[in-house]
Amino acid sequence: TVLPEPDLLAAPPAGGAAGTLGSVEAARMVQRLPYGLVSLDLHGRVSFANAAAAGLLGLPAGELLGTRLWASVPWLNDPMYEDRYRGSLLSQHVTSFVALRPPGDWLSFRMYPSTTGLSVRISRARAVAELGRGAPPPGEGSSPSSLVTISQVLGLAGALTEAVGVQDVVQLVADEIVPAVGSQALMILGSESGRLHVLGHRGYRDARAVEQFHGTPLSAPTPSTRVLSTGAPAFFDSRQQLERLYPSRYAVRDGFAAWAYLPLIASGRPVGTCVLAYTEPHPFPADERAVLTSLGGLIAQALERARLYDAKHRLAHGLQQALLPRSLPRLPGFDAAARYLPATQGMEIGGDFYDLVPTRPTAAAVIGDVQGHNVTAAGLMGQLRTAVRAYTTVGQEPQEVMRSTNRLLIDLGVELFASCLYLRLDPADSSAVMSRAGHPPPLLRRPDGRVRVLDLAGGPLLGIDPAATYPTTRVDLAPGSVLALYTDGLVESPGVDIEDALVELGQRFGEVGDVPLGELADCLVQRSTVVGERVDDVAVLLLRARGDR
């Protein structure tokens, strides 16, 4: 066991030898030491290097000062060494590694962390050099599994930047990295509430093996937790090697024979662990360890972005669900069905809304679209939907509901506009009184299958003119008639004339036939569902007159 040495270089010592000898004599003593000493600050920059360190690194001390060690020394320019530095700072544990100085000198680096930086002791790794004699030079005789080409790394980096969710990252790693490095299974772990959580896995045929990882306390002495807490990778050539270092009760029984545990560190903090498993014992030479460690950095960045995206998506989806009706109430004389599709760009949340308000003996229906698809639009949509309900409940006529909502939107001062279509449904005479504010006209399909666009009187968009009026139009609805109310996202798309889109929608509406309203609603939004990118939200509300009261 090597006891931690005091951090003599990262900060000026107070008292002790330096206080006895004086700072000049202490500096001379450090310069006379037979091994190299380098001090790194919290950003990895060299703030001190003695003569022995300069000699071992092959650069004058003046060229090292103020630079990052792995950037100024070409043969240390490998992500593995930078990750060791970060891992030591994060864990505040002594960390060491060996590196080959061309053409054949192995050097040992031992890092002693403190809150102000790192002291690095550099010496010749004679034991490693002895083991390496007679071995093929670096790059010769390497196993194919360790050879991940630069083009593969660049291709993976490009693919990972496009991964939007955690499962996309897992799938990309499984498809690209696992075959390239010769492993047979993959698991990506994250941490939450003091425990490990399996974010995704591939290649594990036994579900019990996965369950061993899920829920493990971060305090448990396992390879996964140790790698996550220290930030240093761990490689196990065989099960015997794993069990020598970890108690048998913490050894994972997953049917594999070798493992690489890679810390996933993004923005200087650990975000998870990537486990690569091999069915046969697998040696991990230095070059393969370096490649795997650098790949871990790519995975970590993608995973951090993906988790933020997933969290944002859950927030947006939850907010949208909370603002729209959970279910449609049963109305006297009418059946109803609705569908909502968020835009696939932005936050996947928008200002489209619909609602049904039973007031007995009549009822009201409304559909609208607040400008934009973001949190502001969604919040304003919730306010307008609540306002329409309130104005309806107190008995205002359709034109008054629209005028009141218009004044409310202007008073809120949000500088956003909204379109709206409001209906007062009367089952007694199978009719609807409608008022429109800049909203697309509804479609009416009569019982004989004929479809027509309703030319309704109306006023400007809500939120523009405080003195605007909204005249009404009465429409008879014979039993079996179906009204289709929708937002412009259903008929507007880049490069398509809106009149052509409206004609195509009307043809689809008429050809479907007498089917349940839910099936009819699915048919109307089908084209928007299969389109890869929706630039706007889509809301559809269907009303069918039953003819009873």
Side-chain angles (χ1 to χ4, degrees):
T1 302
V2 179
L3 297 176
E5 297 179 6
D7 187 5
L8 297 174
L9 307 175
T20 303
L21 300 174
S23 58
V24 174
E25 185 58 33
R28 288 174 180 170
M29 181 183 71
V30 172
Q31 291 288 359
R32 290 195 295 266
L33 292 174
Y35 48 81
L37 284 173
V38 175
S39 179
L40 306 179
D41 64 16
L42 291 174
H43 300 287
R45 291 187 293 261
V46 177
S47 56
F48 175 85
N50 69 352
L56 290 169
L57 295 174
L59 285 175
E63 294 185 19
L64 292 171
L65 294 177
T67 68
R68 290 181 171 86
L69 196 60
W70 47 85
S72 57
V73 181
W75 45 272
L76 285 178
N77 189 11
D78 189 294
M80 180 182 72
Y81 306 129
E82 185 178 355
D83 285 344
R84 288 299 181 93
Y85 160 80
R86 289 175 176 158
S88 183
L89 275 182
L90 286 168
S91 64
Q92 289 292 294
H93 293 158
V94 176
T95 304
S96 62
F97 64 88
V98 293
L100 177 66
R101 186 187 72 180
D105 295 328
W106 287 93
L107 298 183
S108 170
F109 293 77
R110 193 163 186 84
M111 296 180 288
Y112 300 92
S114 76
T115 56
T116 58
L118 286 176
S119 295
V120 185
R121 173 175 172 166
I122 308 173
S123 59
R124 296 185 183 277
R126 293 183 176 84
V128 177
E130 290 293 331
L131 289 173
R133 287 181 181 173
E140 295 183 13
S142 299
S143 63
S145 65
S146 66
L147 301 179
V148 180
T149 65
I150 292 296
S151 62
Q152 284 177 302
V153 173
L154 292 176
L156 175 66
L160 286 174
T161 59
E162 308 211 355
V164 292
V166 170
Q167 293 310 309
D168 294 333
V169 174
V170 174
Q171 190 62 52
L172 272 170
V173 174
D175 292 344
E176 303 290 338
I177 291 183
V178 169
V181 302
S183 67
Q184 286 73 47
L186 158 77
M187 186 174 299
I188 293 184
L189 304 165
S191 64
E192 186 177 340
S193 302
R195 293 182 178 272
L196 287 178
H197 290 266
V198 177
L199 302 178
H201 62 91
R202 298 290 186 276
Y204 286 86
R205 298 177 181 175
D206 189 350
R208 290 174 296 179
V210 177
E211 292 172 0
Q212 293 178 81
F213 288 91
H214 195 72
T216 303
L218 295 182
S219 57
T222 68
S224 304
T225 55
R226 189 65 54 82
V227 165
L228 188 63
S229 62
T230 63
F235 302 91
F236 303 98
D237 300 354
S238 63
R239 178 165 291 280
Q240 290 78 11
Q241 186 184 52
L242 174 67
E243 292 182 349
R244 278 200 305 269
L245 295 173
Y246 292 92
S248 58
R249 69 190 183 98
Y250 291 111
V252 176
R253 303 295 177 182
D254 56 6
F256 293 98
W259 301 266
Y261 288 82
L262 308 176
L264 304 180
I265 300 174
S267 304
R269 65 183 186 86
V271 297
T273 302
C274 176
V275 183
L276 298 171
Y278 300 75
T279 54
E280 301 293 335
H282 181 92
F284 294 95
D287 59 342
E288 185 172 357
R289 294 184 181 211
V291 168
L292 291 175
T293 304
S294 62
L295 290 176
L298 292 177
I299 298 169
Q301 296 293 335
L303 182 63
E304 179 75 348
R305 289 193 301 269
R307 295 187 75 174
L308 288 173
Y309 174 85
D310 284 349
K312 184 180 75 171
H313 184 270
R314 286 193 299 270
L315 173 63
H317 182 73
L319 178 59
Q320 190 78 60
Q321 292 299 111
L323 293 174
L324 291 174
R326 292 183 177 272
S327 61
L328 297 177
R330 181 173 176 81
L331 300 180
F334 291 90
D335 294 325
R339 295 292 184 269
Y340 173 82
L341 299 175
T344 57
Q345 299 178 1
M347 283 194 67
E348 297 192 16
I349 186 173
D352 288 17
F353 68 97
Y354 58 86
D355 203 359
L356 293 179
V357 186
T359 53
R360 298 204 180 269
T362 60
V366 63
I367 190 167
D369 182 1
V370 177
Q371 175 188 5
H373 28 85
N374 50 38
V375 172
T376 302
L380 185 58
M381 173 265 280
Q383 291 176 292
L384 293 187
R385 177 177 165 237
T386 302
V388 169
R389 271 188 160 264
Y391 299 141
T392 300
T393 303
V394 299
Q396 287 190 2
E397 294 299 318
Q399 63 270 26
E400 285 300 321
V401 171
M402 295 293 270
R403 280 201 294 265
S404 299
T405 308
N406 177 52
R407 287 194 296 269
L408 171 67
L409 183 54
I410 293 173
D411 290 343
L412 290 174
V414 293
E415 298 184 354
L416 290 178
F417 309 134
S419 68
C420 189
L421 178 61
Y422 181 89
L423 293 75
R424 175 66 55 83
L425 301 169
D426 189 349
D429 59 2
S430 296
S431 67
V433 176
M434 308 183 190
S435 182
R436 185 163 68 102
H439 199 81
L443 299 179
L444 173 63
R445 193 184 76 185
R446 299 199 177 278
D448 59 7
R450 289 182 300 168
V451 176
R452 70 184 182 97
V453 179
L454 296 181
D455 184 17
L456 304 180
L461 291 168
L462 303 177
I464 295 178
D465 181 6
T469 59
Y470 299 91
T472 60
T473 303
R474 184 179 182 279
V475 177
D476 292 325
L477 302 174
S481 299
V482 181
L483 269 175
L485 318 179
Y486 54 91
T487 56
D488 55 10
L490 186 66
V491 292
E492 289 185 359
S493 57
V496 178
D497 185 83
I498 189 170
E499 291 188 9
D500 294 339
L502 197 56
V503 169
E504 192 267 338
L505 176 64
Q507 290 175 344
R508 239 182 317 142
F509 191 28
E511 292 169 357
V512 172
D514 192 16
V515 298
L517 276 190
E519 186 177 332
L520 177 56
D522 290 335
C523 177
L524 294 184
V525 301
Q526 182 178 12
R527 183 173 177 274
S528 298
T529 304
V530 299
V531 171
E533 291 288 330
R534 284 189 302 275
V535 297
D536 201 359
D537 307 36
V538 174
V540 172
L541 178 61
L542 301 181
L543 299 167
R544 173 181 283 154
R546 292 198 305 265
D548 59 339
R549 300 182 182 180

